[in-house]
Amino acid sequence: MKENLKRSFAAVIFDMDGVLLDSEPIYRKIQDNFFAELGFSVSDKEYDEFIGLGLENMWKMIKSKREIPYDIPKLITMNNQKILDFIKDLNDLNSMPNLLEFLEICKKNKLKTAVASSTNLQIVKTILKKLGIHEFFDEIISGEQVENSKPAPDIFLHTAYLLNIPPDKCLVVEDSENGVTAAKSAGMYCIGFNNPNSGKMNLSRADIVVDNFYEITGMFKQ
């Protein structure tokens, strides 16, 4: 049985990709097309290493192995535009099952909520608006706003600062190994969200691991 989460949390911080939205299949399609335009492909094993890293670290890894005629800032700009264009044209974007119910519980219990994502801020806001959940969040933070990407704790510490909540009063929901590492390094309680589409992630550092928001909602209702 999972533990009761009715404890003294004051904020819930969500990763976006793979947590609020089952985004990796969408991103994989976009990235595979972009990689092909640049003249190479990426295996499933290599791609899994990119999940939760952010584009800067991803392109650093790719360029360390391949000759690509663009610098990293240019690749990031091009990549973000590819994602934004694709997302804007999607008409059937859906949030994760039972997410809305959990957000309503957070609101009812006066918990502050935030999104802390490695993804570009414009893309994050576009996705949240398309999902119809943008207004639920007190803060929306991108990895671009901090010095070091996940697995460094910077984004979570910055989010806690903006929320005016001590890190040990924050609960984080993360689906990637890098994200879990970042949350725990920030001194936060972390729920590992097991999303098969996010690759084979080692979530063992999380305080607990769940398969869906129904489980999390149940723990808050106990």
Side-chain angles (χ1 to χ4, degrees), residues 112-143:
K112 290 188 176 182
T113 54
V115 176
S117 172
S118 298
T119 299
N120 167 270
L121 186 61
Q122 187 179 2
I123 294 171
V124 173
K125 289 183 175 181
T126 299
I127 288 174
L128 295 181
K129 287 175 182 176
K130 281 224 164 198
L131 295 176
I133 58 175
H134 184 272
E135 299 304 320
F136 275 99
F137 301 104
D138 298 290
E139 297 288 346
I140 299 169
I141 310 302
S142 165

Side-chain angles (χ1 to χ4, degrees), residues 20-40:
L20 303 181
L21 170 73
D22 193 15
S23 55
E24 290 307 330
I26 299 171
Y27 287 155
R28 184 65 195 265
K29 183 176 181 179
I30 297 168
Q31 294 305 124
D32 279 346
N33 289 337
F34 188 34
F35 296 156
E37 286 180 25
L38 295 172
F40 66 94

Side-chain angles (χ1 to χ4, degrees), residues 25-195:
I26 299 171
Y27 287 155
R28 184 65 195 265
K29 183 176 181 179
I30 297 168
Q31 294 305 124
D32 279 346
N33 289 337
F34 188 34
F35 296 156
E37 286 180 25
L38 295 172
F40 66 94
S41 61
V42 166
S43 69
D44 291 344
K45 182 178 180 181
E46 185 177 5
Y47 190 83
D48 285 351
E49 296 175 0
F50 304 152
I51 297 174
L53 275 184
L55 288 181
E56 182 175 2
N57 286 331
M58 182 192 80
W59 282 110
K60 283 180 181 177
M61 292 175 67
I62 291 173
K63 280 180 68 68
S64 71
K65 301 176 183 178
R66 298 172 177 89
E67 291 293 329
I68 300 173
Y70 300 105
D71 62 18
I72 288 174
K74 176 66 174 177
L75 286 165
I76 292 171
T77 299
M78 293 168 68
N79 206 155
N80 279 329
Q81 193 60 52
K82 295 280 186 186
I83 296 170
L84 193 59
D85 290 344
F86 191 92
I87 295 296
K88 282 181 175 179
D89 288 339
L90 282 179
N91 296 316
D92 56 349
L93 212 57
N94 298 304
S95 60
M96 295 295 280
N98 302 108
L99 169 64
L100 191 57
E101 183 183 2
F102 181 60
L103 289 173
E104 293 283 7
I105 286 174
C106 291
K107 184 176 180 181
K108 180 180 178 181
N109 286 281
K110 296 181 170 55
L111 296 171
K112 290 188 176 182
T113 54
V115 176
S117 172
S118 298
T119 299
N120 167 270
L121 186 61
Q122 187 179 2
I123 294 171
V124 173
K125 289 183 175 181
T126 299
I127 288 174
L128 295 181
K129 287 175 182 176
K130 281 224 164 198
L131 295 176
I133 58 175
H134 184 272
E135 299 304 320
F136 275 99
F137 301 104
D138 298 290
E139 297 288 346
I140 299 169
I141 310 302
S142 165
E144 300 164 321
Q145 296 167 265
V146 295
E147 183 175 354
N148 300 301
S149 301
K150 303 172 187 177
D154 300 33
I155 192 168
F156 291 122
L157 293 173
H158 183 58
T159 302
Y161 171 77
L162 292 176
L163 292 172
N164 196 28
I165 301 293
D168 64 354
K169 298 297 182 183
C170 295
L171 181 154
V172 174
V173 186
E174 264 285 359
D175 71 316
S176 73
E177 182 176 354
N178 288 317
V180 170
T181 299
K184 295 310 298 177
S185 296
M188 299 179 179
Y189 188 94
C190 185
I191 296 178
F193 194 88
N194 183 29
N195 184 338

